[in-house]
Amino acid sequence: MKATRRKKRLLRKDRGSALLVSLMVIVGLSLLGLGFVAISETETAIAKNQLSVAQTQAIAEAGSKMVVEWFQDPVWAQANAGLPSNDGTVNPNLAAIKTTRVSGPDTGVYRPTAQVSLLDKPYRPQFVNRFYGDENSADLIINRTTDSTTIDAVNNILLGPNAEDKRDGEVTEIKIYAPPIVGGILTPNGTATNADGTLQQFWVGGQRFGVATIKVTATTFRDRTLTGAAKVAPANILGTHAVRLVVGELPLPIPGGPIQSNTSISFGGDFIVHWGNETSTGTLTNKRNPSSIPWANAYERPHFEHGYETGTSVSQVIVTAGGSGYATAPLVTISGNATATSTVVGGAVTAITMVNRGAGYSTSVQPTVTFTGGGGGTGASGQAVVAAEAWPATGSTFDTLPYFNELLNKSFEDPWFGSRSVGDNMADGTTANGVNPQCYPYSYTNDETSASNATYFFQWQSTNTYPWQKKVVFPSILYDFWKKIASQGRGYKGIYYFSYDKSGGGGYKKGGSGTTRPEAYWVNSLTTGSGARLGPGVYFFDTVDGINPQKLTGASRAAQLTPSESWNASDFGGSFLMEGFVYLNNASWGTQGVGSSATTVQATYPGEPFRDIGYPKWNAATNAWDTTGCGGTICRVGAGDGSFSYQDLNGNGKFDVVTMPAPAWTSYDSAATAHPAGSTYIPKVWKSPAQATADYGAPCTIPAPTYNGTNPAATDCSEPHEPYLNLIYTNSSTASVTVGWQPNASQTFLPKTTGATCNAASSQADCTSNAYDLDGAQAPIDVILDGILYNEGNYNSTGNSAFYGSLLIQGNVSGTGTPDIWFDEKLIKGSWAPPNMPRVIVYNMQTDEEQQ
């Protein structure tokens, strides 16, 4: 009995421990369960964040591709894809999205005027057409702070117009800035900072690899209804993703004229070339000899700045020799009624000061200057200049006579025509190698409208040796390069590759697969024609076996070229047009009769000739010509920059020209030819107050900012500018063009762009006028090509087909037909951009930047 009681006592003590153990087990299991629950919730959060990241990446990628489309067609993009207007009267946020750049001597914003749309061609080479900022100092910054209207428009188009459409993310910022640059210097803009406090920096110099970098940032918010700082606060951001694209200009060949051969040219029949240079790296037999504005040498037109400043008084006397031994200032005598005094330093005459500018002088005959007295000094000489302050005659070649008078009020059949060859140009018959590079040198006494001694024929142009030889260059068109672009462009609209089908009757397959079709079928871009209807673009037709023929010679090269083609009306299908760049590898290509298949296009005349010698700079503060830092001579701006330059004195963003009746003048067309006053009009060029008073009767005044070209004040003068020849265009592609200006109130306004309405209120970019025209008027022509056609083989035509753009032929050019070829000068200006033609390609895409 005793033992049994002890046992029962021990059991009562153990019952408390069991309870504790049970509780601990329960707690442990509960914690473990909670842990699993927490893990599952974390996984859910991770999955949700990952989904947010993927969604923002997709939105950023879609946004970046939309911005690429802005470059492809800015007019369409402004109407349909959210591109902001470059017109400040339409877009009140325009100033906010543009960053003021400082790159070397250049300062200003991208595309400062409304004449060219944002992101439109040209993309080079002027400061206003290029991007210079880094990522923080982007040239264009579009976000909710700078332009909420555009951000909303982009998101509405990209995602949808409703708030719910943006629940999973939206585009919050678009930046466009410089492409990658090698060898340039990223230079701070003093101490100026960006909105985020970083130092502003812009590129100076270097080599550009592309047109622009595009950065698009997308963000997902917890609560989209918040505004201001609350919306972009970190606590409200679920995730962001940025995508960067580098875009480069579609690298189309840059032709030198309407037709070029890398072998030889021998035109037969009535082959007519218009509006540019025909060139050959071999011999050249020409079939056309129109009247054209003459060439002084292989590089320059006659220096028509001389005579450009009209007047009848002496503007200055240039000291051509200082002499020696002068104890006092010698007396200066100028033939006629002008008077001046001299300055002597160190016994030599150093300067002449006009006292009375006189009147009644002719720009064709310079007054004589003599020096007498001065205490026995000798040897001083000077040259009096009539009317011209900015471009006085220097005595050097083509600077001694008023060449402007030789061109004024004359009509030319084709002012831009030229004929140049590396070999013998047969215009003057067979000549020995190296003799007479310019077949018919220019003479002041030539009749410039006569084609019998045309100055535009050049031969032996195999090197660059100023002034008589300027090397003829055939564009570099590389098979491997273009095949790669076409092959890798699959899926992009406007870039097409075609393989040759050896077993399919000599046709081609788009992308290397599908139905075999003839070459002519594929290249017909018209939506109304019987062809493939692919639209404008790059069309690359491969060789027989897809092998580069440019690495082969002889029979092996010939074997890779596809069979010769000669298209006729049956191939054109009743309505035909090639638009874009067509790359052929035919042994020979040409056309026969076109029938009624040609398409009417609005061809644009080339622009007006100008002398790229800079404009004289006016200092409005001192009311005098600016000579600061220019050795006492008038400073010039814009010389050699490749574009027409002027000084915008009234700040209205365009060149303002004022015209006046031309005084009587004489030209020398084998003999002196008198032209009565008022036969045409000329620019009333800007002059100093004293010279303007002598020549115009009053000092020059600046045209009002609202000046429209037709309503100048009586004392207004043209803004300082480089000399140019105004051409009075017509709307016929075969009509002659006249050099001259018209009265301000009755000048001719013709469209340069399709659909433009032209009057005094029209933009200079849209309509011709007395002002300088970078592009000429439009004229309708019926053609089968609008763009560039290259053939690796020969060209042979027997029909009447017409072309607008350029034909580039690796082999020989021959034929007996009657084709016409008009050059599209926009191909060398970088502004060629028909609707729907791809303009840029994506060089690089970075999509891996994300934040959570």
Side-chain angles (χ1 to χ4, degrees), residues 364 405-406 408-409 663-669 671-677 679:
S364 301
N405 293 353
E406 299 305 306
L408 186 61
N409 206 31
W665 81 95
T666 300
S667 65
Y668 289 85
D669 303 322
T673 304
H675 302 268
S679 300

Side-chain angles (χ1 to χ4, degrees), residues 144-167:
R144 196 157 293 282
T145 300
T146 62
D147 190 355
S148 60
T149 301
T150 293
I151 288 294
D152 285 338
V154 167
N155 284 303
N156 289 342
I157 294 168
L158 196 65
L159 304 172
N162 303 311
E164 183 65 17
D165 298 325
K166 290 90 170 177
R167 178 175 58 84

Side-chain angles (χ1 to χ4, degrees), residues 616-632:
K617 185 179 179 182
W618 183 252
N619 188 325
T622 61
N623 199 34
W625 292 115
D626 192 344
T627 59
T628 305
C630 298

Side-chain angles (χ1 to χ4, degrees), residues 624-699:
W625 292 115
D626 192 344
T627 59
T628 305
C630 298
T633 62
I634 300 173
C635 296
R636 294 188 190 175
V637 179
D641 64 0
S643 62
F644 175 76
S645 303
Y646 67 95
Q647 186 173 4
D648 187 7
L649 292 178
N650 58 19
N652 65 358
K654 62 185 180 69
F655 167 53
D656 292 313
V657 61
V658 177
T659 64
M660 56 182 263
W665 81 95
T666 300
S667 65
Y668 289 85
D669 303 322
S670 73
T673 304
H675 302 268
S679 300
T680 187
Y681 277 65
I682 58 174
K684 187 180 179 184
V685 300
W686 190 270
K687 296 189 177 188
S688 66
Q691 191 64 39
T693 299
D695 290 336
Y696 304 148

Side-chain angles (χ1 to χ4, degrees), residues 208-230:
R208 292 170 173 264
F209 287 83
V211 170
T213 303
I214 300 166
K215 180 185 178 184
V216 175
T217 303
T219 306
T220 304
F221 298 103
R222 295 180 188 276
D223 185 353
R224 287 197 68 259
T225 63
L226 297 177
T227 59

